[in-house]
Amino acid sequence: MTSAEPPWLQLAGIAVAYGKRAVVENFSLTLPRGTVGCLLGPSGCGKTTVLRAIAGFEPVSAGEIRLDGELVSSAQRQLPPEQRRIGMVFQDHALFPHLTVAANVAFGLRGLPGAAQRVQQMLDTVGLGGAGSRYPHQLSGGQQQRVALARALAPAPRLLLLDEPFSNLDIELRERLGGELRGLLKAAGTTALLVTHDQHEAFAIADEIGIMSSGRIQQWDTAYNLYHRPANRFVADFVGQGAFLQGTVRRGQHIQMELGQLQSEQPIRCTEHGDLCDTGCSVDVLLRPDDVVHDDASPVTAEVLAKAFRGAEFLYTLRLDSGTTVLSLVPSHHNHAIGERIGIRLEVDHVVAYKREGAPVLDCG
């Protein structure tokens, strides 16, 4: 998107309430044309409500929703869902069981010229070109979801919304279909917004992801930045795995911890507002499993509390001398027993620290 090109989807300060209970307040986001975005968060955070407001199923009490520059929702205007040209894919597929696969895909094309050719084109696109005469119950769950996607894309919607599209499928199939879905959307140039609570699904499909909590976006960013540069402690806790280890800031860009000293390329900022930490500031440092490296030669050791075999690697839960636990990813040929002590060292590329919870305010400058 160039600087002169307006956002394809724009939500500006919208609010949605169920009765007197506000679910979404002062919510904003923009999505460039051809971008795949995602709202990721725990159940009850408001992400599906946002999707329903965009689709026109829920009215907004404040703010505006614009699609390709057109005002589709505000407190004064509510364009009906059928006039928005928005496609939707639901977690339960919502296919018509009495219609064939081809008839399901053709449902939104009734009366349009070239409908039969468009149906075949979409079925070919999702890899079901020979399944048009079959019925939904004759297909696997993954195939049914492909039909639902073909049906949503057939009318060439201005925007595609996906509400937990793979939640009813097994993990292996979800991961495979996630990559395929991204390829299909990019090939078609479709602008899409996905809602999910599964971060692996979000990472596989979306260009940018918004982490939601209590009706607000905590951080809108790439998967890489959400994992390595979380904007606040909630994002750090929600995305990926990790543990917090106490530390003390030394000379502005160093942190002394039980596992040794870390040096940051940038001055340590101990709050999400960007406040710098002075020497002596007490912080909690985020350590991802890949930050804690198994090293037999290290003088620092930890006790193996638990381990999870993942094929190429183990995820070890380790207890330090202080009783604090950390996680470590270790190649699976290092098969250590529960209770064994192993050598570890830190290898941290991105230092993420927050003012330690419960520490006096004066600890931070």
Side-chain angles (χ1 to χ4, degrees):
M1 185 178 73
T2 66
S3 58
E5 184 180 352
W8 189 255
L9 173 67
Q10 182 173 27
L11 281 66
I14 71 164
V16 182
Y18 296 139
K20 294 184 178 180
R21 183 173 69 92
V23 180
V24 174
E25 293 184 280
N26 195 29
F27 185 96
S28 301
L29 69 78
T30 59
L31 205 60
R33 184 174 185 174
T35 298
V36 181
C38 176
L39 297 178
L40 173 65
S43 297
C45 70
K47 56 188 185 295
T48 294
T49 298
V50 172
L51 213 67
R52 290 177 58 82
I54 296 170
F57 300 146
E58 299 291 345
V60 301
S61 57
E64 294 183 346
I65 300 176
R66 292 182 178 273
L67 182 57
D68 189 19
E70 179 186 8
L71 178 64
V72 296
S73 286
S74 71
Q76 294 76 37
R77 172 178 168 81
Q78 180 77 2
L79 190 69
E82 64 272 15
Q83 295 181 23
R84 298 191 180 202
R85 286 186 54 207
I86 292 177
M88 287 204 70
V89 178
F90 302 94
Q91 60 182 345
D92 59 359
H93 317 316
L95 300 177
F96 299 111
H98 63 290
L99 297 181
T100 65
V101 166
N104 266 280
V105 176
F107 188 79
L109 301 174
R110 289 173 297 181
L112 297 179
Q117 291 84 352
R118 178 64 174 172
V119 168
Q120 188 59 50
Q121 177 189 15
M122 295 314 305
L123 288 176
D124 290 339
T125 298
V126 300
L128 291 172
S133 61
R134 299 168 69 182
Y135 286 85
H137 72 273
Q138 297 174 311
L139 304 178
S140 67
Q143 289 173 323
Q144 289 179 30
Q145 193 59 284
R146 292 168 191 256
V147 175
L149 178 62
R151 183 180 62 184
L153 291 174
R158 295 191 293 179
L159 175 70
L160 181 66
L161 303 177
L162 304 108
D163 186 7
E164 302 275 7
F166 304 134
S167 63
N168 290 334
L169 306 178
D170 61 68
I171 294 176
E172 182 178 348
L173 185 56
R174 283 206 305 265
E175 292 182 353
R176 179 163 57 83
L177 287 181
E180 292 179 2
L181 172 59
R182 176 175 172 80
L184 288 172
L185 294 175
K186 287 300 180 181
T190 302
T191 309
L193 184 64
L194 164 75
V195 156
T196 183
H197 65 277
D198 185 328
Q199 56 188 276
H200 297 293
E201 189 173 294
F203 291 175
I205 298 173
D207 296 307
E208 293 190 318
I209 301 162
I211 305 298
M212 282 192 66
S213 174
S214 302
R216 297 176 183 273
I217 289 182
Q218 302 295 311
Q219 184 175 353
W220 181 270
D221 219 322
T222 63
Y224 183 90
N225 285 338
L226 292 173
Y227 185 86
H228 289 292
R229 300 186 178 94
N232 56 39
R233 193 170 183 126
F234 176 84
V235 176
D237 276 329
F238 188 79
V239 175
Q241 292 177 297
F244 287 96
L245 195 62
Q246 293 183 12
T248 303
V249 175
R250 304 295 186 197
R251 301 188 309 279
Q253 291 178 221
H254 297 78
I255 300 178
Q256 186 64 44
M257 299 185 301
E258 181 179 358
L259 290 179
Q261 182 171 265
L262 290 180
Q263 180 175 355
S264 173
E265 295 179 356
Q266 303 295 328
I268 305 299
R269 300 181 183 274
C270 63
T271 73
E272 60 191 89
H273 305 295
D275 299 326
L276 292 176
C277 291
D278 285 341
T279 297
C281 178
S282 298
V283 295
D284 287 329
V285 180
L286 175 65
L287 295 179
R288 300 293 192 189
D290 49 315
D291 294 329
V292 182
V293 177
H294 176 28
D295 184 352
D296 290 326
S298 174
V300 178
T301 63
E303 179 188 357
V304 177
L305 285 183
K307 62 181 184 179
F309 183 65
R310 296 188 170 185
E313 57 199 7
F314 280 107
L315 177 65
Y316 282 107
T317 302
L318 305 173
R319 179 164 57 198
L320 307 180
D321 290 339
S322 64
T324 303
T325 59
V326 295
L327 301 174
S328 178
L329 282 175
V330 178
S332 62
H333 57 271
H334 294 283
N335 187 12
H336 296 285
I338 302 297
E340 186 178 347
R341 296 191 70 87
I342 64 173
I344 57 172
R345 60 180 171 80
L346 294 180
E347 195 171 287
V348 181
D349 290 328
H350 301 95
V351 177
V352 178
Y354 303 100
K355 177 181 175 294
R356 183 160 57 86
E357 293 181 345
V361 174
L362 294 179
D363 276 6
C364 288

